[in-house]
Amino acid sequence: MLSNVLSNGASLRPFAPELVLGIGVLVVLLVGLVGKGGSRGLLLGLTVAILAGAAVATAVTRDEATRALFGGLLARDGFGDYFKFLFVAAAALVALASVSTDEIGAGPSDDRAVAEYAALLLAAALGAALMASATDLLTAYLSLEFISILSYVLAAFSPQRPRSAEAGLKYAIYGGVATGAMLYGFSLLYGLAASTELNAVRVALTAAPPLVAGTALALCLAGFGFKLAIVPFHMWCPDVYQGAPTPVAAFFSVVPKAAGFALAYRFLLGGAAPLVPALGPATGWAAVLAALAAATMTLGNLAALGQRNLKRLLAYSSIAHAGTMTMALALGTESGARALMLYAGIYLFMNLAAFLAVVAFIHRGVGETVDDLAGLGRRAPLPALCLTLALFSLAGLPPFGGFVAKFAIISATIERGATGGGLYFGLAALAVLNTVVALYYYARVAKVMYFDLPREGAGPVRLAPIHVGLLGATTLAVIALGIYVPPLSSLVAASAGGWAGR
Amino acid sequence: MHRLRSISHHSLTRPSGIFLIALAVLVAPRVYAVDPVPPEAPPSLELQPRSLVFGAPGSAFVTVYNRGAAPVTLNDARVVSLGQADFTAEPVRHRQLAPGASSTVKLTYQPGSRVRRQSFAAVELEYEGNSTAAAAPGKHIQTVALRGGEDLSLLTWLIFAPLLGIPMLFLWPRGRERQLRVVALLVSAVPVTLAARMVAMFDPLFKRADGNFGYQFVQHVAWIRAFNVEYHVGVDGLSVGLVALTALIGFIAVLASWSIPVERNLRGYFSLLLVLETGLLGVFVALDLFLFYVFWELVLVPMFFLIGLWGGPRKEYAAIKFFIYTLLGSVLILLAIIALYYASSPTILVDGTAAAHTLDIPKLVHLNDFSGHPALLGFRFVNLLWVLLFIGFAIKVPVVPLHTWLPDAHVEAPTAVSVILASVMLKMGTYGMLRIGWSILPEATRWAAPAVSALGAICIVYGAFCALAQTDLKRLVAYSSISHLGFCLLGMAALTPLGVNGAIFQMLSHGVVSGLLFLLVGVLYDRAKTRGLDEFGGVATVMPRYATVFALAFLASLGLPGLSGFIGELMALVGSFGRYRTAAAVSAFGLIIGAAYNLWAIRRIHLGPLPDRWKTVLTGRDLDGREWASLLPLVALTIGLGLYPAPIIDAASTSVAELLAMMGLPSLGLGGEL
């Protein structure tokens, strides 16, 4: 059923972005080993250059037609390309932010660790790119494990902070169980289909006994849910985000999540399509996904209300956003896919803007609790403004990008409700009510920054120039995306049509 | 305060300014070519140009090039437009085009009548014989957008002029903060002049049949094609008065902000005030639901910071309560907007591209009938949407029992912000009801009208009783706002010409009067630092001019004939008496309570003995020049509108008549107006 299947040799050219990333990992490691190890700026600049190279490779090898690579293991299509651009952008922003941070490695002067960090970052981007292109159970599992193991190490990359090691361990244990369950689910699917290709799985599921199919899908959802940090597989998320170095937490909040959504979409619409009907009343698994989305949005927002630590607050906020994106997953329609892609793109910028502000503030010793931000509106006017705008965009207020993203997903949900019935209208209503709840904790951060007086002896805060530049750039992107949507929406429209394995 | 002052002079002001210029450049509307039409892929036929603008009646040519390798047949050139037949295309009957050849199609713009307006249309060129391999054979269509008439970007400049002034505030050199007030005043004077021009050029007799669905000063371009969103602005009788009021009140609010000390970050204050003004102006002129919603929400963030940073003792509580409560209403409106979008029928965008659904308010009103839509969640579709919209707008008005955010927000806000809040922001709610709820869902409005009139009566009476019970002067005025807007609801629910015209007049009159009231409260508070009604007495003996204006304002609030409040309330009452006798009778009773609290307030503040503590504070501190400048326009308007309301009523009556014609209600047989 796959069209345009390429052999191993012919697959190398469409595989160029991943090759660039893979070779880049080795290059960065080598540069780190040679001589004195290279300075932090050099290594991270090299990382950004490699990521830019991967983006160029993606653009150059783009093609209208979708191609199946390596005999059907991976796909090269518009959908995957879009996500690759997102991963590259996110990794580049995180790498640039890591230039001025004390949280990576054993201390500010530990430049040797930066080479490993940069290599891990590149490898994680590679893993995410593979996840977004996987059309086979094997590659799906491999790429998910790949990025997961890298994430465990990245989370523990601040050895002098015990929280970091705890985060890495917690992540590893939780992830091990979750991916183990997913592997068992995959093995059941393999048993039904006698092949690991997602298309074969789809064919087999149409005739499978419901108990087996249901168990398999539930186990697979455990793995996906873990990566996406949706309820009830989200327990690791706040602790890991709080413990990991902040640039790494920023990376986690965007790249593995978006990769997880890409993979889940391929899996659910490609492999598991018979169980997630695109049209007609919502039955079975569409309802399960809808319930998971509803639970995730609600729990993420309600739990965030009580958080005092900024990183935990952003962790719960990203759980809530993952819930909204899962809502798009539950729709099973083309417009849902486009809305998801648009949301992922805008979410990248606004979430990274918020996290980058936290990176910058922690670097200058401001602290990581909400109360530590008191009076920042006067102490650091421009960064505080950027953080405020990013938070209001996360809340979904116009005229920022976050509103356009929310509008897209809620529109797709209501559109689906016309054919799917009351469940989707209820979801949409729940989503908008969650917006109101979420506003409280976002506005509370803004309130603390502007309304509260600074503590005794707290003077002006001058951020590192690179942090100011990054903050300004991401905030401008957030505002621009709210007003000038066409660049992103036309990219989405151009990419959403391509679906390998249809 | 000293500690704050020392760290407020931080050297990031200049980068902030540059950042804000970048922001301003992005925020300034890119009205043209924001989202170009995606070309048919791959076209072998190229049209030059893709859009034509006619300044004056005349002709122009569109050249059609055949870029393909096979001959192409031009079947037809059709003009598609919604509203007017100002454009004609030369007939094209199966014209053959060889490869590489070109041909021209003549387009003529001839406005049919003398009526000044902007015309929008598109030419559809249908052709076949596209020989490129990837394209499917058969008939294809490409469009050329047409625009004729005067290009008055008046409304766009009006809306965004305040925003464009913000970079000036941030680039102003440090140490000259006192001049920031003047800068802000000059910036806020620009919308006033533009609004005056708009009012002068407004044609009260412009009807739907005259084109553009009855809207004037229209600007219409495609904005976000992915959601069929357009930048569509225009005014009609419902909104022209509100736009003018907003511009004036924005100017007066800047005047009223003079008393805010220089140390309290005037740059931020005036920037937020200007963003607020942009949002308010945008709401009243937006004719696309997405655009309307963006402007609607745009006012929330500035209000949050204005109340929370420059407000009174409980400012943070009031600010967050306001923010969350009104956001709750807004998201309900968003749900209804999206539901309307997906229920709408296919149409065209302004440049001719097909759209499966539309968010355009005129199209939703006139070209869509939702009454036959299948039931949603067990409720009638139009009724459910109407209720969602009504709850959302009712929180803004506010309607009892959704009003609890208002007293706190009003009391804690600084004077200028209270003025804007009461005069303009509350009208967003009633305007939204008329523009969206009433116009798009007339059947549901008829179904709900009895309930709305009951709510109006409750607002009037409950608000009046609450005002009677207050001991804080500002809180009293806040509750009186709730009471006055009940008359708007009553008039709107009556669905008679007198009632709805009365509601619109009451909106404008209340805007003027409540602006006056809050300014006067601010004058007293600036001097006395307290607002307790029981703490004063005999202020008239030391501040006679202030007492005069105070008495005038509170008598206008009471509804004294000769002042504007009387006209609006009378029209609303008489207009609703025909249909809702009980509600009208109860509301008339509310007038008595209104008289009670207003007169009692005048007495408690101005009459009787003057307490000793005020003798030194208030003596010799009557109204100064700046305060007169802010009060006089409103005083003049109150008296002028009270004695000569005809211009305002005439401006609105055409639009109201067309609105009510859609309601399909039988005439009451009580005479032409009722």
Side-chain angles (χ1 to χ4, degrees):
Chain A
M1 238 181 300
L2 278 176
S3 59
N4 204 3
V5 181
L6 299 176
S7 67
N8 286 354
S11 300
L12 281 179
R13 189 166 183 276
F15 195 58
E18 287 84 352
L19 283 175
V20 168
L21 285 172
I23 296 171
V25 171
L26 298 172
V27 165
V28 166
L29 276 175
L30 279 174
V31 170
L33 286 172
V34 161
K36 287 182 305 189
S39 77
R40 185 178 279 247
L42 171 70
L43 284 165
L44 290 168
L46 184 61
T47 312
V48 175
I50 294 170
L51 288 165
V56 167
T58 316
V60 162
T61 52
R62 250 177 110 104
D63 196 347
E64 287 294 326
T66 64
R67 293 155 284 182
L69 305 180
F70 301 111
L73 286 179
L74 292 170
R76 182 68 206 270
D77 56 8
F79 184 76
D81 287 350
Y82 177 81
F83 280 98
K84 278 173 209 170
F85 285 126
L86 289 188
F87 302 147
V88 161
L93 286 170
V94 169
L96 285 173
S98 312
V99 170
S100 283
T101 179
D102 309 324
E103 300 180 72
I104 307 292
S109 54
D110 187 1
D111 284 340
R112 186 138 293 181
V114 176
E116 296 163 8
Y117 171 74
L120 286 172
L121 213 59
L122 282 172
L126 170 63
L130 287 174
M131 264 179 88
S133 324
T135 49
D136 189 284
L137 292 178
L138 267 175
T139 36
Y141 177 73
L142 277 174
S143 55
L144 200 123
E145 268 297 276
F146 184 35
I147 196 173
S148 296
I149 293 176
L150 294 168
S151 302
Y152 309 153
V153 179
L154 276 171
F157 223 76
S158 242
Q160 81 274 29
R161 293 165 61 226
R163 272 258 154 81
S164 184
E166 177 195 335
L169 190 62
K170 211 176 260 193
Y171 203 178
I173 294 177
Y174 203 102
V177 175
T179 49
M182 188 178 78
L183 190 60
Y184 183 45
F186 279 1
S187 69
L188 286 175
L189 289 175
Y190 175 62
L192 286 173
S195 156
T196 52
E197 257 187 46
L198 279 184
N199 286 310
V201 169
R202 171 170 53 199
V203 170
L205 277 177
T206 51
L211 186 61
V212 182
T215 316
L217 198 55
L219 290 165
C220 296
L221 272 180
F224 291 131
F226 152 71
K227 209 71 213 143
L228 302 174
I230 57 180
V231 168
F233 313 107
H234 69 288
M235 308 292 280
W236 60 272
C237 191
D239 296 324
V240 169
Y241 282 36
Q242 185 185 7
T246 320
V248 171
F251 186 79
F252 285 167
S253 69
V254 176
V255 173
K257 255 195 233 292
F261 276 110
L263 180 62
Y265 217 97
R266 267 196 216 279
F267 182 79
L268 292 168
L269 237 66
L275 301 182
V276 184
L279 292 169
T283 56
W285 287 98
V288 169
L289 283 171
L292 284 179
T296 310
M297 281 191 290
T298 315
L299 189 134
N301 280 317
L302 290 178
L305 289 177
Q307 296 304 320
R308 307 312 303 182
N309 182 300
L310 207 52
K311 289 163 74 172
R312 279 184 92 84
L313 186 131
L314 287 175
Y316 276 113
S317 130
S318 62
I319 292 177
H321 282 281
T324 316
M325 289 196 268
T326 313
M327 198 167 74
L329 212 57
L331 301 178
T333 55
E334 174 84 22
S335 65
R338 275 200 298 272
L340 179 67
M341 291 162 74
L342 190 68
Y343 199 100
I346 296 177
Y347 170 74
L348 181 151
F349 285 106
M350 56 187 184
N351 210 33
L352 277 182
F355 263 106
L356 288 178
V358 180
V359 171
F361 290 141
I362 291 179
H363 180 55
R364 286 295 188 227
V366 173
E368 60 179 58
T369 60
V370 175
D371 295 325
D372 288 331
L373 298 179
L376 266 182
R378 275 171 267 261
R379 295 162 61 194
L382 189 58
L385 176 69
C386 291
L387 179 58
T388 309
L389 295 179
L391 289 174
F392 284 136
S393 176
L394 283 167
L397 291 177
F400 306 114
F403 169 67
V404 176
K406 267 218 157 66
F407 185 86
I409 286 202
I410 295 176
S411 294
T413 311
I414 292 186
E415 184 186 16
R416 175 79 173 90
T419 49
L423 172 74
Y424 295 102
F425 292 120
L427 261 185
L430 192 64
V432 295
L433 289 174
N434 272 308
T435 308
V436 182
V437 174
L439 180 68
Y440 178 73
Y441 58 84
Y442 291 126
R444 187 157 50 98
V445 178
K447 170 220 177 243
V448 167
M449 282 199 292
Y450 285 99
F451 299 177
D452 290 356
L453 291 177
R455 292 218 193 90
E456 280 301 321
V461 176
R462 292 217 64 157
L463 296 185
I466 194 166
H467 286 155
V468 177
L470 284 174
L471 256 185
T474 40
T475 313
L476 278 176
V478 165
I479 300 169
L481 283 170
I483 298 163
Y484 194 53
V485 187
L488 199 61
S489 63
S490 44
L491 184 62
V492 166
S495 312
W499 259 114
R502 263 227 169 142
Chain B
M1 282 308 270
H2 295 286
R3 187 179 59 226
L4 290 173
R5 203 186 314 154
S6 67
I7 54 184
S8 71
H9 294 312
H10 189 61
S11 62
L12 272 178
T13 309
R14 197 140 297 227
S16 308
I18 296 171
F19 172 69
L20 277 158
I21 287 188
L23 227 138
V25 165
L26 278 169
V27 165
R30 313 232 343 241
V31 180
Y32 304 114
V34 166
D35 195 352
V37 184
E40 216 192 44
S44 67
L45 211 63
E46 189 188 313
L47 273 68
Q48 281 284 348
R50 292 308 296 265
S51 73
L52 273 175
V53 175
F54 292 89
S59 306
F61 292 91
V62 169
T63 320
V64 186
Y65 300 93
N66 184 354
R67 301 270 186 234
V72 165
T73 316
L74 299 176
N75 283 341
D76 195 11
R78 292 182 290 271
V79 172
V80 288
S81 76
L82 296 169
Q84 52 253 26
D86 294 342
F87 297 96
T88 45
E90 168 197 345
V92 169
R93 271 179 281 273
H94 304 288
R95 198 183 294 180
Q96 292 281 347
L97 264 186
S102 68
S103 167
T104 59
V105 178
K106 183 173 171 191
L107 301 165
T108 315
Y109 169 61
Q110 189 60 49
S113 70
R114 294 245 162 267
V115 177
R116 162 199 265 150
R117 61 152 181 268
Q118 302 75 38
S119 306
F120 303 92
V123 179
E124 271 188 353
L125 195 69
E126 190 191 304
Y127 62 98
E128 58 184 334
N130 189 334
S131 63
T132 325
K139 293 189 169 45
H140 303 269
I141 292 181
Q142 289 197 43
T143 55
V144 175
L146 301 173
R147 194 161 52 79
E150 287 178 79
D151 175 24
L152 298 169
S153 307
L154 185 74
L155 289 182
T156 307
W157 282 110
L158 182 70
I159 300 171
F160 292 105
L163 275 185
L164 295 177
I166 294 181
M168 259 202 290
L169 286 173
F170 274 88
L171 287 181
W172 206 256
R174 248 178 303 120
R176 302 250 195 100
E177 268 80 12
R178 240 163 267 284
Q179 297 163 359
L180 282 174
R181 299 175 177 141
V182 180
V183 173
L185 196 64
L186 290 174
V187 171
S188 65
V190 173
V192 177
T193 48
L194 290 174
R197 185 152 176 253
M198 176 191 73
V199 168
M201 296 191 340
F202 183 78
D203 180 1
L205 300 172
F206 198 91
K207 303 186 297 296
R208 180 185 160 195
D210 294 325
N212 284 336
F213 293 106
Y215 294 95
Q216 305 178 43
F217 309 104
V218 173
Q219 271 198 294
H220 199 170
V221 252
W223 179 20
I224 305 176
R225 272 176 220 284
F227 307 130
N228 291 327
V229 167
E230 299 171 296
Y231 178 79
H232 189 184
V233 294
V235 288
D236 72 345
L238 294 180
S239 46
V240 64
L242 290 167
V243 173
L245 179 72
T246 310
L248 179 67
I249 293 288
F251 181 79
I252 290 177
V254 175
L255 268 179
S257 307
W258 233 256
S259 55
I260 295 185
V262 166
E263 302 82 43
R264 300 283 304 276
N265 195 358
L266 285 182
R267 270 175 242 266
Y269 177 84
F270 284 119
S271 310
L272 289 167
L273 214 61
L274 291 173
V275 173
L276 185 62
E277 192 178 347
T278 296
L280 292 169
L281 287 167
V283 164
F284 293 126
V285 303
L287 291 179
D288 179 281
L289 284 175
F290 186 93
L291 189 66
F292 176 89
Y293 191 78
V294 169
F295 282 121
W296 180 276
E297 296 267 81
L298 193 60
V299 309
L300 294 186
V301 175
M303 278 300 291
F304 173 68
F305 283 110
L306 283 169
I307 297 179
L309 277 173
W310 289 273
R314 285 168 74 227
K315 51 192 176 170
E316 286 129 20
Y317 168 74
I320 195 75
K321 191 171 172 182
F322 162 83
F323 206 173
I324 295 190
Y325 214 143
T326 38
L327 185 71
L328 180 64
S330 307
V331 296
L332 293 176
I333 297 172
L334 181 66
L335 279 180
I337 286 177
I338 300 179
L340 277 175
Y341 174 67
Y342 282 110
S344 60
S345 14
T347 177
I348 53 166
L349 295 182
V350 65
D351 56 3
T353 44
H357 305 288
T358 182
L359 284 167
D360 197 52
I361 295 180
K363 291 200 186 99
L364 285 171
V365 170
H366 296 290
L367 300 178
N368 280 280
D369 181 12
F370 298 105
S371 50
H373 201 271
L376 195 58
L377 302 172
F379 298 101
R380 205 167 152 225
F381 181 76
V382 287
N383 291 350
L384 180 64
L385 286 195
W386 192 94
V387 169
L388 277 176
L389 286 169
F390 186 75
I391 296 177
F393 292 126
I395 292 180
K396 206 61 173 207
V397 172
V399 175
V400 174
L402 302 167
H403 68 287
T404 49
W405 62 270
L406 183 79
D408 291 312
H410 261 135
V411 170
E412 304 301 333
T415 305
V417 177
S418 291
V419 168
I420 293 185
L421 180 54
S423 291
V424 184
M425 207 183 297
L426 303 185
K427 315 303 178 292
M428 282 165 66
T430 45
Y431 169 78
M433 284 182 195
L434 275 178
R435 176 67 83 215
I436 302 181
W438 264 234
S439 307
I440 302 182
L441 304 168
E443 315 83 8
T445 310
R446 274 169 31 208
W447 163 76
V452 177
S453 74
L455 277 174
I458 293 174
C459 274
I460 295 169
V461 176
Y462 182 79
F465 272 115
C466 283
L468 196 60
Q470 296 307 317
T471 53
D472 178 331
L473 182 62
K474 209 169 181 186
R475 240 180 147 83
L476 183 146
V477 178
Y479 276 107
S480 80
S481 283
I482 300 179
S483 185
H484 288 307
L485 285 169
F487 281 100
C488 282
L489 277 182
L490 195 67
M492 278 161 45
L495 295 178
T496 56
L498 199 63
V500 183
N501 274 310
I504 296 173
F505 190 89
Q506 174 73 347
M507 280 194 241
L508 296 174
S509 153
H510 176 257
V512 171
V513 172
S514 71
L516 259 181
L517 291 171
F518 279 105
L519 283 173
L520 291 165
V521 172
V523 163
L524 192 62
Y525 185 72
D526 283 345
R527 290 151 173 73
K529 300 295 178 237
T530 177
R531 295 183 296 255
L533 282 162
D534 299 324
E535 300 178 42
F536 291 99
V539 173
T541 55
V542 285
M543 295 172 71
R545 295 192 187 91
Y546 171 71
T548 314
V549 183
F550 191 100
L552 185 105
F554 275 79
L555 288 173
S557 164
L558 177 164
L560 192 74
L563 300 172
S564 58
F566 172 67
I567 309 284
E569 291 174 358
L570 178 77
M571 287 172 73
L573 277 176
V574 176
S576 68
F577 195 74
R579 285 217 170 87
Y580 303 113
R581 215 142 288 193
T582 325
V586 170
S587 312
F589 170 68
L591 282 176
I592 304 174
I593 313 297
Y597 69 76
N598 280 307
L599 292 172
W600 200 18
I602 299 175
R603 178 201 165 297
R604 280 188 283 185
I605 300 273
H606 286 292
L607 305 180
L610 179 69
D612 288 330
R613 61 196 266 226
W614 300 130
K615 286 211 168 73
T616 42
V617 173
L618 296 180
T619 314
R621 292 200 61 194
D622 212 341
L623 296 173
D624 65 29
R626 176 191 60 85
E627 286 161 344
W628 272 119
S630 62
L631 291 168
L632 272 179
L634 297 176
V635 169
L637 271 176
T638 309
I639 300 175
L641 288 179
L643 294 175
Y644 189 54
I648 305 291
I649 302 178
D650 288 339
S653 52
T654 317
S655 307
V656 170
E658 301 205 302
L659 173 67
L660 291 176
M662 283 191 300
M663 292 285 164
L665 282 169
S667 156
L668 285 175
L670 296 172
E673 278 292 295
L674 295 170

